[in-house]
């Protein structure tokens, strides 16, 4: 596709833009705790996003940066986004990048590898970069623009400079006519609806934008904190009933950890069928209200939203050591996605049950589908949970396709199953005094709040065994090896059993209660169910 040349700017327009940007950066310096003079002592980044031709599925980005005490600058586009653990190669979507100084003189720019560009002769110059971003896939981990709306992934949009990810960033959005609404997790500048700031690039990359004719559902408060749902093309459904149910989901999720670490939380509905990604104070989710008309559709949607919401604890704050600071260039492999994703699946089911939005049979059916997937996948004999976690960058979160089918597993399936067995083991070892909930609270308070870092594989195991007051050797063999799961023993701790039947070459499974549980089994099951 031919890229149209960006028109040159008049001196007056350039001066006005630079003046406005300086006021913006001065505000950032003061807001982020620095003195006003800091705006002149360190490089600044100001982005302007516009949509000159949205019907062509493209948008325009202008970067204004200055304060560089060097001759050469290397700019990069992230290769992936946290929350979706595969390389996305966003730089392939950048078109027609150009660079000028504040006088309109061209600055040499050259692409040096798949996601890097080098600028030369920039010392003490104000630099203006212009480029277009093409969009061709409607998916939660990709930007997408059409004539009706825009969904922008910051990692798919904003260039960064290695070594300067810690600096504050300002963003200005110029919506297309007829797009009255913008929603993002970023803070506004001076309450202006189209100007935003982030204290650093990690926060910027954590806050997608949805722009268009959006609908805001009735918000609710949990522990005094506002929670919103704002979306695009949400369809026909009972909005009050849905938000009442979502409020119960959030309240139960908060009760598990006991703390709310954000000032406001926003569910951002990006349209039907495009996945979901978690963030610190928001989540972007595919959403189609017509799915809520059946009990099965409502349960599936609430599970999905509970999953993405609980992620703001488990992976954004309770996180493996490797997942922050991020390597935006090459990815951040970890053995612990079975904890970050698998245990979040585990908690999505429990949250919806404890909120009173699904019955016991529904909860058992949710776990049975994961067990069924594990038991019918021959990959369980070849790949462990830690291997599946680390290999997601090449295998994908659900295992490989083609010649490797049957040789890999999904941590989305085996992770919640092992999580359930782990929880029952802890409850049994402590005579129902402790549970996996206590492990999650410990990880949150000690590693996130006190140490302000992630945890290692060994530290996660140590936390589980400390809470249990006993070794959990066999449980962690299930994590690190392909040893078959002993369902009878661990489900039995909660007075449950698993029935497995063969039907047409596939295993069918069903979870049910034991006929005569003892008092400890009864107590464990009751507290686990939230009854």
């Amino acid at each position: 596709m031919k890229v149209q040349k960006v028109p040159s700017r008049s001196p007056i327009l350039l001066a006005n833009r630079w003046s406005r940007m300086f006021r913006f950066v001065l505000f950032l310096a003061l807001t982020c705790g620095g003195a006003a003079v800091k705006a002149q002592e360190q490089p600044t980044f100001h982005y302007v996003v516009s949509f000159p031709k949205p019907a062509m599925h493209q948008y325009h980005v202008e970067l204004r940066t200055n304060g560089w005490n060097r001759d050469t600058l290397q700019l990069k586009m992230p290769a992936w986004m946290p929350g979706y653990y595969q390389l996305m190669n966003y730089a392939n979507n950048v078109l027609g990048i150009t660079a000028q100084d504040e006088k309109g003189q061209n600055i040499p720019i050259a692409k040096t590898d798949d996601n890097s560009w080098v600028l030369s002769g920039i010392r003490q110059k104000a630099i203006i970069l212009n480029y277009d971003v093409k969009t061709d896939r409607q998916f939660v981990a990709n930007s997408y623009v059409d004539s009706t709306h825009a969904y922008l992934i910051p990692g798919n949009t904003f260039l960064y400079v290695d070594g300067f990810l810690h600096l504050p960033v300002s963003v200005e959005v110029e919506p297309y006519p007829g797009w009255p609404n913008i929603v993002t997790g970023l803070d506004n500048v001076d309450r202006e609806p189209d100007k935003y700031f982030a204290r650093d690039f990690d926060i910027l990359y954590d806050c997608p934008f949805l722009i268009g004719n959006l609908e805001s559902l009735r918000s609710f408060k949990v522990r005094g904190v506002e929670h919103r749902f704002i979306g695009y093309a949400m369809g026909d459904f009972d909005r009050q009933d849905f938000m009442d149910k979502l409020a119960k989901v959030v309240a139960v999720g908060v009760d598990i950890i006991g703390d709310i670490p954000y000032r406001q939380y926003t569910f951002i509905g990006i349209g039907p069928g495009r996945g979901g990604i978690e963030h610190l104070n928001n989540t972007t989710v595919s959403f189609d209200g017509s799915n809520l008309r059946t009990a099965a559709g409502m349960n599936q949607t609430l599970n999905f939203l509970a999953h993405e919401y609980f992620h703001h604890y488990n992976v954004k704050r309770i996180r493996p050591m490797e997942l922050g600071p991020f390597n935006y260039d090459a990815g951040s492999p970890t053995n612990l996605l079975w904890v970050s994703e698998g245990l979040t699946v585990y908690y999505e089911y429990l949250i919806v049950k404890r909120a009173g939005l699904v019955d016991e049979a529904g909860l058992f059916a949710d776990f049975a589908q994961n067990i069924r997937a594990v038991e019918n996948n021959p990959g369980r004999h070849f790949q462990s949970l830690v291997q599946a976690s680390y290999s997601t960058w090449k295998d994908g979160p659900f295992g490989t396709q083609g010649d490797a089918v049957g040789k890999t597993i999904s941590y989305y399936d085996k992770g919640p199953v092992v999580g359930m067995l782990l929880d029952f083991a802890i409850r049994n070892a402590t005579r129902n005094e402790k549970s996996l909930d206590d492990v999650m609270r410990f990880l949150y308070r000690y590693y996130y709040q006190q140490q302000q870092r992630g945890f290692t594989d060994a530290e996660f195991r140590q936390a589980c065994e400390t809470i249990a007051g006993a070794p959990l050797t066999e449980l962690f063999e299930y994590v690190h090896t392909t040893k078959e799961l002993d369902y009878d023993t661990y489900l039995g701790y909660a007075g449950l059993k698993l029935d497995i039947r063969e039907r047409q070459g596939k295993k069918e499974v069903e979870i049910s209660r034991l006929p005569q549980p003892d008092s400890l089994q009864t107590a464990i099951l009751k507290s686990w169910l939230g009854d």
Side-chain angles (χ1 to χ4, degrees):
M1 184 178 294
K2 186 177 181 181
V3 181
Q4 212 167 15
K5 184 178 179 181
V6 179
S8 61
R9 314 275 185 172
S10 72
I12 294 176
L13 181 58
L14 287 171
N16 288 341
R17 268 275 171 87
W18 278 112
S19 176
R20 183 169 58 183
M21 189 196 82
F22 179 78
R23 292 196 302 271
F24 207 164
V25 172
L26 180 62
F27 172 86
L28 287 175
L30 293 169
T31 304
C32 296
V37 69
K38 290 284 184 68
Q40 298 178 358
E41 292 177 347
Q42 62 185 14
T44 63
F45 296 87
H46 178 71
Y47 298 88
V48 181
V49 182
S50 58
F51 307 89
K53 295 182 178 180
M56 294 179 64
H57 306 296
Q58 295 182 12
Y59 57 101
H60 186 75
V61 181
E62 178 182 276
L63 166 60
R64 291 177 171 264
T65 181
N66 65 1
W68 295 100
N69 188 26
R70 56 176 64 190
D71 290 322
T72 302
L73 196 64
Q74 184 181 56
L75 291 130
K76 290 177 172 287
M77 186 69 81
W80 68 292
M81 68 171 293
Y84 190 73
Y85 307 103
Q86 288 187 276
L87 297 179
M88 302 298 291
N89 302 314
Y90 291 129
N92 292 342
N93 299 319
V94 174
L95 302 173
I97 189 167
T98 62
Q100 297 175 318
D101 63 21
E102 68 272 28
K103 297 178 181 178
Q105 299 298 310
N106 289 333
I107 296 175
I109 183 169
K111 192 171 185 180
T112 56
D113 59 35
D114 289 342
N115 70 324
S116 303
W117 292 261
V118 169
L119 294 170
S120 304
I122 55 90
R123 187 185 298 274
Q124 299 304 326
K125 288 185 178 180
I127 306 162
I128 308 104
L129 270 79
N130 282 280
Y131 53 94
D132 292 315
V133 179
K134 67 176 180 179
T135 70
D136 54 15
R137 181 187 179 196
Q138 290 184 274
F139 180 56
V140 73
N142 289 94
S143 295
Y144 186 76
V145 174
D146 63 19
S147 59
T148 62
H149 79 299
Y151 171 60
L152 305 185
I153 294 295
N156 195 165
T157 304
F158 302 116
L159 297 167
Y160 71 95
V161 178
D162 257 342
F164 295 89
L165 288 166
H166 63 286
L167 293 182
V169 190
S170 61
V171 177
E172 185 174 351
V173 179
E174 296 179 350
Y176 191 69
W179 294 1
N181 311 116
I182 303 172
V183 61
T184 178
L186 292 179
D187 290 326
N188 285 110
V189 174
D190 291 337
R191 299 182 181 179
E192 294 191 47
D194 58 351
K195 296 180 176 63
Y196 305 88
F197 72 93
R199 69 170 185 258
D200 55 42
F201 278 82
D202 285 332
I203 296 298
L204 174 67
Y205 290 147
D206 191 56
C207 295
F209 289 80
L210 184 65
I211 308 162
N213 188 2
L214 310 180
E215 179 184 2
S216 297
L217 304 185
R218 176 182 53 83
S219 66
F220 58 84
K221 289 187 176 181
V222 173
R223 300 193 182 191
V225 177
E226 184 183 32
H227 295 74
R228 308 182 299 169
F229 198 111
I230 301 173
Y232 164 77
M234 291 198 285
D236 183 25
F237 60 100
D238 186 331
R239 283 151 168 77
Q240 180 172 335
D241 177 66
F242 170 68
M243 292 302 283
D244 288 344
K245 288 181 167 67
L246 186 59
K248 293 177 180 179
V249 164
V250 170
V252 171
V254 170
D255 286 344
I256 291 170
I257 303 300
D259 182 56
I260 295 182
Y262 47 77
R263 298 192 306 272
Q264 182 187 67
Y265 190 90
T266 307
F267 294 87
I268 302 174
I270 65 173
R274 302 163 200 169
I277 299 286
E278 67 277 355
H279 307 288
L280 286 167
N281 66 359
N282 69 96
T283 179
T284 50
V285 295
S286 59
F287 182 80
D288 184 351
S290 63
N291 293 336
L292 305 178
R293 297 172 188 169
T294 66
M298 177 66 80
N299 181 59
Q300 182 183 45
T301 299
L302 292 176
N303 281 346
F304 173 48
L305 295 176
H307 181 102
E308 299 304 336
Y309 175 75
F310 196 69
H311 262 320
H312 88 81
Y313 294 120
N314 190 30
V315 81
K316 297 306 295 182
R317 294 178 171 92
I318 304 169
R319 64 173 177 83
M321 185 72 80
E322 298 86 355
L323 296 184
F326 299 108
N327 183 339
Y328 293 107
D329 219 11
S332 299
T334 174
N335 291 335
L336 290 166
L337 289 181
W338 75 271
V339 173
S340 298
E341 291 292 349
L343 295 191
T344 303
V345 175
Y346 176 70
Y347 273 105
E348 76 181 64
Y349 300 153
L350 291 184
I351 287 169
V352 175
K353 170 61 177 71
R354 293 174 184 177
L357 301 174
V358 68
D359 60 15
E360 177 182 299
L363 177 67
F364 291 171
D366 284 334
F367 282 113
Q369 73 176 2
N370 291 123
I371 295 173
R372 187 183 308 115
V374 170
E375 291 301 313
N376 285 300
N377 182 0
R380 74 184 189 279
H381 300 301
F382 296 91
Q383 189 179 55
S384 69
L385 269 174
V386 295
Q387 289 170 331
S389 298
Y390 197 86
S391 299
T392 189
W393 294 91
K394 63 180 179 64
D395 292 347
F398 303 105
T400 55
Q401 304 299 314
D403 294 338
V405 167
K407 298 292 181 68
T408 60
I409 62 169
S410 171
Y411 45 76
Y412 283 105
D413 288 323
K414 191 173 180 180
V417 176
V418 171
M420 177 172 59
L421 305 189
L422 175 61
D423 198 354
F424 289 156
I426 294 171
R427 290 171 185 267
N428 181 72
T430 62
R431 300 196 62 79
N432 204 38
E433 292 295 322
K434 300 290 183 179
S435 72
L436 190 59
D437 294 3
D438 293 284
V439 174
M440 302 306 287
R441 283 191 285 268
F442 170 77
L443 296 173
Y444 180 82
R445 292 167 184 165
Y446 183 73
Y447 290 106
Y448 168 64
Q449 291 185 319
Q450 296 178 29
Q451 299 297 313
Q452 299 182 10
R453 67 170 176 87
F455 52 84
T456 66
D457 301 50
E459 287 168 339
F460 178 79
R461 177 171 179 169
Q462 182 183 39
C464 293
E465 294 186 330
T466 300
I467 296 294
L472 299 170
T473 304
E474 186 174 58
L475 259 302
F476 283 90
E477 286 178 352
Y478 297 153
V479 172
H480 292 276
T481 75
T482 59
K483 183 176 181 176
E484 294 280 20
L485 305 181
D486 180 359
Y487 298 105
D488 290 341
T489 295
Y490 293 98
L491 290 179
Y493 291 153
L496 300 174
K497 62 187 179 74
L498 183 70
D499 295 316
I500 302 180
R501 301 180 302 277
E502 291 278 349
R503 179 177 297 176
Q504 297 179 343
K506 293 289 185 181
K507 294 179 181 178
E508 293 290 334
V509 304
E510 182 179 2
I511 299 173
S512 60
R513 290 184 181 231
L514 290 172
Q516 294 181 316
D518 62 28
S519 59
L520 179 58
Q521 291 170 321
T522 300
I524 288 174
L525 182 59
K526 183 176 180 179
S527 63
W528 182 69
L529 292 173
D531 293 340

